[in-house]
């Protein structure tokens, strides 16, 4: 059993990670005021001192503690460490991501260090800090306190001596609701809105004073993002997740490059190196060393992957500019349609950016995979025109494994949460990229209303019907859309591949005549089709998709959005809008009441 201390953004992210397991856990907050949906978690509210925490851990067989509390909750952090040591229960601290300290900011360690040459001050340090700032008012400083707009916070602020005229309220991190020459911040990290607060204050030419975050007590396992948390839980409590995550080939190549650079330029050869993932978090990755290279063993976790166990090597040399070279076992692009032109090594955009960011110098990185050429014969690479080896790929840097049954079960859970959120519409997407583009169309929908279907479009729509969801938006990118248009409700590459003959039929129906004989990826169509005919083609594709999707949602209104690689969106509302769906008041105003309403 896991006990999470949350009440923060990190607590919410921890819940999202742990919910994926289907296992039971406990989620603790001090006030009980955080709005959060738990399906497998059990909520406990109220502060726990050391004695109460020890008793709870013993009574409920807690085997792992996750400290996702606020960075300024110093006493709680210390209590967790002491209880962890006393009970021999491992603990993970979920830290925030912090930017380097800006020299233009006045940094202080304590409220007593606030300069007194201030005329007016906006304090954004929370309701608990009011008593610590009251003495400044006796020196003629006008203070405004920005607090959460909730009854308990207002009552506590007034109890600590603030007047109603001094109170202003927090809506967004960048809000500055009063005129003041100075702002007081806490170093709350990126998730606490610190960069936005600083930017807003600088735009108003305000003096910025920031209270440094306290140094937490030492803890062996520290993470600063969801992937790191999951991997730490898998290591410390393996049975909690039925399937374990792995690393992409891009992350492995990056780790090898970091290790090779450390040894080449600093003479260091650690067993693990830090790797910054595309989402900004840092994970530790195991590495090894050869004569003039470093290596990382590809770890697929429980995801079925023929590259599992491959040794991915990196050699780093000084250069006049940053360059990535593909050595033995790394494929080469031979056809257009990829992130890079024919002749370039098959290292995709995200891994290249990861290596550039993590190595941070002008170097030549040569990636080799000794068994890559043989392994590639068991992949789709030869069919895609990638010759000579494997691809170095990965968007997130982490492989999250799911069996088909587990993935569909997770979709059902997410759709259940989406309906329970009270949102009038559920938006289903293939992944994070399509969700990011579609989310802008529905800014008022809660996060829970957006659900990933992966490849299981048909199962997702069937479950939505079973749950009685009345308004569904399906976001789909072209690679999956042409498969769906052909009637494939599961778009996984192991079950269906791109059908050029069917795509030619779609083009013919759209009145478009172009040569697709050399096309390797469906997304190339966005460049090959004349721009003034894209809408015609999109209409044809969406119409075919709707033909296969509508029967799965007989009682719901379905909006299908086709998304290109640049985020342009083509929309179609299904012809069939049941009266029940129109009349139940749940249409949130985000649906598009004409066939081609969204473009660009």
């Amino acid at each position: 059993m896991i006990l999470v201390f949350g009440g923060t953004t990190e607590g919410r992210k921890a819940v999202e990670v742990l919910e994926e397991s289907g296992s039971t856990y406990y989620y603790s907050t001090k006030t009980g005021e955080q709005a959060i949906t738990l399906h497998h978690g059990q909520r406990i509210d109220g502060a726990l001192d050391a004695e109460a925490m020890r008793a709870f851990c013993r009574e409920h067989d807690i085997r792992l503690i996750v400290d996702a509390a606020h960075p300024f909750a110093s006493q709680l952090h210390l209590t967790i460490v002491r209880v962890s040591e006393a009970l021999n229960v491992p603990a993970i601290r979920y830290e925030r991501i912090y930017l380097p300290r800006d020299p233009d900011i006045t940094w202080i360690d304590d409220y007593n260090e606030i300069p007194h040459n201030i005329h007016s001050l906006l304090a954004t340090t929370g309701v608990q800090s009011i008593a610590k700032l009251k003495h400044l008012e006796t020196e003629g400083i006008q203070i405004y306190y920005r607090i959460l707009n909730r009854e308990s916070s207002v009552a506590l602020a007034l109890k600590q001596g603030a007047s109603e005229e001094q109170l202003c309220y927090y809506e967004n991190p960048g809000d500055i609701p009063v005129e003041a020459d100075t702002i007081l911040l806490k170093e709350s990290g990126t998730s606490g809105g610190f960069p936005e607060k600083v930017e807003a204050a600088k735009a108003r030419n305000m003096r910025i004073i920031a209270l440094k975050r306290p140094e937490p007590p030492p803890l062996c396992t520290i993470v600063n993002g969801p992937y790191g948390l999951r991997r730490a839980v898998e290591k410390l409590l393996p049975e909690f997740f039925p399937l374990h995550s792995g690393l992409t080939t891009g992350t492995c190549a990056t780790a090898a490059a970091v290790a090779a650079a450390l040894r080449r330029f600093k003479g260091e050869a650690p067993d693990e190196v830090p790797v910054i993932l595309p989402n900004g978090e840092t994970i530790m990755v195991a590495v090894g060393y050869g004569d003039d290279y470093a290596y990382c063993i590809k770890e697929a976790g429980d995801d079925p992957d023929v590259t599992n166990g491959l040794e991915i090597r990196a050699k780093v040399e000084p250069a006049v500019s940053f360059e990535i070279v593909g050595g033995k076992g790394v494929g080469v692009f031979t056809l257009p349609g990829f992130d890079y032109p024919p002749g370039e090594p098959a290292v995709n955009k995200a891994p290249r950016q990861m290596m550039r960011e993590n190595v941070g110098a002008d170097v030549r990185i040569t990636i080799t995979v000794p068994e890559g050429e043989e392994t590639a014969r068991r992949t789709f690479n030869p069919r895609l025109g990638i010759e000579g080896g494997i691809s170095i790929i990965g968007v997130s840097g982490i492989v999250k494994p799911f069996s088909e049954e587990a993935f569909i079960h997770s979709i059902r859970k997410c759709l259940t949460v989406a309906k329970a959120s009270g949102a009038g519409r559920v938006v289903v997407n293939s992944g994070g990229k399509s969700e990011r583009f579609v989310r802008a169309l529905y800014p008022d929908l809660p996060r829970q209303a957006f659900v990933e279907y992966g490849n299981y479009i048909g199962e997702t729509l069937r479950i939505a019907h079973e749950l009685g969801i009345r308004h569904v938006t399906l976001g789909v990118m072209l690679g999956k859309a042409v498969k769906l248009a052909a009637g494939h409700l599961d778009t996984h590459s192991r079950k269906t591949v791109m059908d050029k003959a069917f795509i030619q039929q779609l083009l013919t129906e759209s009145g478009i005549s172009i040569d697709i004989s050399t096309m390797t990826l469906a997304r190339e169509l966005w460049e090959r089709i004349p721009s003034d005919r894209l809408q015609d083609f999109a209409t044809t594709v969406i119409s075919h998709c709707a033909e296969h999707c509508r029967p799965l949602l007989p009682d719901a209104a379905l909006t299908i959005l086709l998304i290109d690689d640049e985020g342009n969106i083509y929309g179609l509302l299904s012809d069939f809008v049941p009266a029940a769906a129109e009349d139940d008041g749940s249409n949130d105003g985000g649906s598009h009441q004409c066939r081609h309403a969204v473009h660009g």
Side-chain angles (χ1 to χ4, degrees), residues 317-329:
E317 303 168 284
V320 295
S321 61
F322 186 84
E323 180 184 3
I324 293 178
V325 178
K328 178 183 178 183

Side-chain angles (χ1 to χ4, degrees), residues 2 20 28 39 47 71 83 86 100 161 187 190 274 292 546 558:
I2 294 177
E20 293 172 354
S28 172
H39 281 273
V83 170
E187 187 182 14
T190 56
D292 62 349
L558 174 65

Side-chain angles (χ1 to χ4, degrees), residues 91-363:
I92 301 168
R93 180 176 296 119
Y94 194 147
E95 286 274 20
R96 297 185 175 185
I97 297 173
Y98 297 95
L99 301 179
R101 287 177 177 158
D102 185 341
D104 293 332
I105 294 174
T106 300
W107 295 92
I108 61 175
D109 294 300
D110 187 82
Y111 290 99
N112 293 326
E113 298 177 15
I114 296 173
H116 292 190
N117 57 339
I118 297 171
H119 174 67
S120 55
L121 176 68
L122 172 60
T124 68
T125 46
V127 68
Q128 297 284 358
S129 69
I130 293 176
K132 301 174 183 179
L133 297 170
K134 290 297 291 180
H135 71 280
L136 295 175
E137 295 181 25
T138 64
E139 301 180 19
I141 299 175
Q142 174 65 55
I143 304 181
Y144 301 96
Y145 303 103
R146 194 179 80 168
I147 65 174
L148 293 174
N149 189 9
R150 62 190 184 196
E151 187 175 340
S152 61
S153 296
V154 174
L156 183 56
L158 296 176
K159 183 178 180 180
Q160 293 196 53
S163 67
E164 293 186 0
E165 292 73 21
Q166 289 179 288
L167 300 182
C168 52
Y169 300 103
Y170 178 99
E171 296 293 339
N172 298 299
D175 288 344
I176 299 180
V178 296
E179 290 295 331
D181 56 58
T182 304
I183 188 170
L184 176 64
L185 309 174
K186 280 183 175 178
E187 187 182 14
S188 55
T190 56
S191 66
F194 187 79
E196 292 85 350
K197 295 171 188 176
V198 169
E199 182 180 359
K202 286 186 174 181
R204 299 275 288 268
N205 294 315
M206 299 175 74
R207 181 180 182 180
I208 304 171
I209 302 172
L211 187 67
K212 297 177 187 176
R213 68 186 186 273
E215 285 296 325
L219 196 64
C220 291
T221 304
I222 298 175
V223 302
N224 66 352
Y227 296 131
L229 175 62
R230 174 161 180 155
R231 289 177 62 78
V233 172
E234 290 170 350
K235 179 179 179 180
L236 296 171
L237 197 63
E239 64 272 26
F240 187 79
F241 285 97
L243 296 173
H244 288 187
S245 62
L247 303 175
T248 64
T249 50
T251 295
C252 294
T254 301
V258 170
L262 284 173
R263 188 169 71 167
R264 177 68 185 262
F265 300 118
K266 294 186 176 182
E268 301 173 4
D271 294 333
E272 289 185 325
V273 295
V275 173
I276 303 172
L277 299 179
N279 70 348
E281 72 172 286
T282 301
I283 63 170
M284 300 301 295
V285 180
V287 293
Y289 301 89
D291 291 339
D292 62 349
Y293 63 88
Y295 66 86
C296 178
I297 302 299
K298 171 66 165 74
E299 172 196 340
D302 286 316
D303 191 62
D305 188 338
V306 296
T307 65
N308 186 47
L310 287 182
E311 182 177 290
I312 299 178
R313 300 176 178 177
K315 179 179 179 181
V316 173
E317 303 168 284
V320 295
S321 61
F322 186 84
E323 180 184 3
I324 293 178
V325 178
K328 178 183 178 183
V330 175
V332 175
F333 297 127
T334 64
L335 295 174
F338 295 95
D339 290 336
Y340 297 94
E344 282 283 313
V347 182
N348 285 2
K349 185 176 181 180
R352 291 184 191 229
Q353 291 176 336
M354 284 178 65
M355 282 185 261
R356 177 185 289 275
E357 179 178 359
N358 280 271
V359 176
D362 287 331
V363 294

Side-chain angles (χ1 to χ4, degrees), residues 539-563:
T539 298
T540 302
V541 173
I542 294 173
S543 296
H544 278 272
C545 291
E547 181 180 333
H548 299 293
C549 292
R550 276 201 302 264
L552 304 180
L553 284 170
D555 303 317
L558 174 65
T559 300
I560 299 178
L561 303 177
L562 179 61
I563 310 161

Side-chain angles (χ1 to χ4, degrees), residues 433-445:
K433 184 176 182 180
S434 59
E435 177 180 323
R436 186 169 67 252
F437 292 143
V438 175
R439 187 183 287 273
L441 297 180
Y442 300 100
D444 296 329
L445 286 182

